[in-house]
Short mmCIF file of all heavy atoms in Angstrom, two decimals:
data_model
loop_
_atom_site.label_atom_id
_atom_site.label_comp_id
_atom_site.label_asym_id
_atom_site.label_seq_id
_atom_site.Cartn_x
_atom_site.Cartn_y
_atom_site.Cartn_z
N VAL A 288 -4.17 2.52 -44.61
CA VAL A 288 -4.63 1.62 -43.54
C VAL A 288 -3.73 1.65 -42.38
O VAL A 288 -4.13 1.74 -41.21
CB VAL A 288 -4.81 0.17 -44.09
CG1 VAL A 288 -5.14 -0.78 -42.95
CG2 VAL A 288 -5.90 0.09 -45.14
N MET A 289 -2.37 1.56 -42.69
CA MET A 289 -1.42 1.61 -41.60
C MET A 289 -1.49 2.93 -40.80
O MET A 289 -1.52 2.93 -39.58
CB MET A 289 0.01 1.42 -42.18
CG MET A 289 0.31 0.02 -42.59
SD MET A 289 1.63 -0.07 -43.82
CE MET A 289 3.00 0.46 -42.88
N ALA A 290 -1.62 4.04 -41.56
CA ALA A 290 -1.67 5.33 -40.88
C ALA A 290 -2.90 5.41 -40.02
O ALA A 290 -2.83 5.87 -38.88
CB ALA A 290 -1.71 6.46 -41.94
N ALA A 291 -4.02 4.95 -40.56
CA ALA A 291 -5.29 5.05 -39.81
C ALA A 291 -5.21 4.17 -38.55
O ALA A 291 -5.66 4.54 -37.49
CB ALA A 291 -6.43 4.58 -40.69
N TYR A 292 -4.61 3.01 -38.70
CA TYR A 292 -4.46 2.06 -37.56
C TYR A 292 -3.63 2.73 -36.48
O TYR A 292 -3.96 2.76 -35.28
CB TYR A 292 -3.81 0.77 -37.99
CG TYR A 292 -3.59 -0.21 -36.89
CD1 TYR A 292 -4.63 -1.01 -36.43
CD2 TYR A 292 -2.35 -0.35 -36.29
CE1 TYR A 292 -4.47 -1.92 -35.39
CE2 TYR A 292 -2.14 -1.28 -35.24
CZ TYR A 292 -3.18 -2.05 -34.79
OH TYR A 292 -3.02 -2.91 -33.81
N LEU A 293 -2.49 3.33 -36.89
CA LEU A 293 -1.60 4.02 -35.95
C LEU A 293 -2.36 5.12 -35.20
O LEU A 293 -2.26 5.20 -33.97
CB LEU A 293 -0.41 4.63 -36.73
CG LEU A 293 0.70 5.19 -35.93
CD1 LEU A 293 1.39 4.14 -35.10
CD2 LEU A 293 1.70 5.96 -36.80
N MET A 294 -3.14 5.89 -35.96
CA MET A 294 -3.87 6.94 -35.31
C MET A 294 -4.93 6.40 -34.32
O MET A 294 -5.09 6.89 -33.19
CB MET A 294 -4.59 7.84 -36.36
CG MET A 294 -3.72 8.74 -37.16
SD MET A 294 -2.67 9.74 -36.11
CE MET A 294 -3.87 10.88 -35.39
N MET A 295 -5.58 5.35 -34.73
CA MET A 295 -6.60 4.77 -33.87
C MET A 295 -6.02 4.28 -32.58
O MET A 295 -6.55 4.55 -31.50
CB MET A 295 -7.25 3.62 -34.64
CG MET A 295 -8.46 3.04 -33.95
SD MET A 295 -8.97 1.53 -34.77
CE MET A 295 -7.85 0.36 -34.03
N ILE A 296 -4.92 3.57 -32.66
CA ILE A 296 -4.28 3.00 -31.47
C ILE A 296 -3.82 4.15 -30.57
O ILE A 296 -3.99 4.12 -29.33
CB ILE A 296 -3.04 2.14 -31.85
CG1 ILE A 296 -3.52 0.87 -32.57
CG2 ILE A 296 -2.26 1.78 -30.59
CD1 ILE A 296 -4.36 -0.05 -31.72
N SER A 297 -3.27 5.19 -31.16
CA SER A 297 -2.78 6.29 -30.28
C SER A 297 -3.98 7.02 -29.63
O SER A 297 -3.86 7.40 -28.44
CB SER A 297 -1.88 7.26 -31.03
OG SER A 297 -2.52 7.73 -32.18
N VAL A 298 -5.07 7.13 -30.34
CA VAL A 298 -6.24 7.76 -29.72
C VAL A 298 -6.68 6.91 -28.52
O VAL A 298 -6.97 7.42 -27.43
CB VAL A 298 -7.41 7.91 -30.74
CG1 VAL A 298 -8.69 8.23 -30.00
CG2 VAL A 298 -7.07 9.00 -31.71
N MET A 299 -6.65 5.56 -28.70
CA MET A 299 -7.07 4.71 -27.61
C MET A 299 -6.15 4.84 -26.42
O MET A 299 -6.61 4.97 -25.27
CB MET A 299 -7.07 3.27 -28.10
CG MET A 299 -8.37 2.89 -28.82
SD MET A 299 -8.29 1.19 -29.32
CE MET A 299 -9.79 1.12 -30.27
N PHE A 300 -4.84 4.78 -26.67
CA PHE A 300 -3.84 4.89 -25.60
C PHE A 300 -4.04 6.19 -24.79
O PHE A 300 -4.13 6.23 -23.58
CB PHE A 300 -2.42 4.87 -26.14
CG PHE A 300 -1.75 3.52 -25.94
CD1 PHE A 300 -1.83 2.56 -26.90
CD2 PHE A 300 -1.12 3.22 -24.74
CE1 PHE A 300 -1.21 1.33 -26.73
CE2 PHE A 300 -0.53 2.00 -24.53
CZ PHE A 300 -0.54 1.04 -25.55
N VAL A 301 -4.12 7.27 -25.58
CA VAL A 301 -4.29 8.57 -24.94
C VAL A 301 -5.57 8.61 -24.13
O VAL A 301 -5.59 9.10 -23.01
CB VAL A 301 -4.24 9.68 -25.99
CG1 VAL A 301 -4.67 11.00 -25.43
CG2 VAL A 301 -2.83 9.80 -26.54
N GLY A 302 -6.63 8.11 -24.72
CA GLY A 302 -7.93 8.11 -24.06
C GLY A 302 -7.90 7.32 -22.77
O GLY A 302 -8.34 7.78 -21.71
N ILE A 303 -7.29 6.12 -22.86
CA ILE A 303 -7.23 5.28 -21.66
C ILE A 303 -6.39 5.97 -20.53
O ILE A 303 -6.77 5.99 -19.37
CB ILE A 303 -6.64 3.92 -21.97
CG1 ILE A 303 -7.66 3.10 -22.75
CG2 ILE A 303 -6.23 3.17 -20.70
CD1 ILE A 303 -7.12 1.83 -23.35
N ASN A 304 -5.30 6.59 -20.94
CA ASN A 304 -4.49 7.27 -19.94
C ASN A 304 -5.28 8.42 -19.29
O ASN A 304 -5.17 8.64 -18.08
CB ASN A 304 -3.27 7.86 -20.63
CG ASN A 304 -2.10 6.94 -20.56
OD1 ASN A 304 -1.94 6.21 -19.56
ND2 ASN A 304 -1.32 6.91 -21.58
N LEU A 305 -6.07 9.10 -20.08
CA LEU A 305 -6.88 10.20 -19.56
C LEU A 305 -7.88 9.63 -18.52
O LEU A 305 -8.03 10.18 -17.43
CB LEU A 305 -7.61 10.83 -20.73
CG LEU A 305 -8.00 12.27 -20.58
CD1 LEU A 305 -6.81 13.12 -20.32
CD2 LEU A 305 -8.71 12.74 -21.86
N ILE A 306 -8.49 8.52 -18.87
CA ILE A 306 -9.47 7.92 -17.98
C ILE A 306 -8.79 7.49 -16.67
O ILE A 306 -9.30 7.71 -15.55
CB ILE A 306 -10.18 6.72 -18.62
CG1 ILE A 306 -11.04 7.23 -19.77
CG2 ILE A 306 -10.98 5.95 -17.62
CD1 ILE A 306 -11.54 6.16 -20.68
#
Side-chain angles (χ1 to χ4, degrees):
Chain A
V288 172
M289 287 156 66
Y292 179 80
L293 188 65
M294 286 308 289
M295 188 190 81
I296 293 296
S297 53
V298 167
M299 277 180 186
F300 258 94
V301 168
I303 287 170
N304 268 325
L305 206 58
I306 293 168

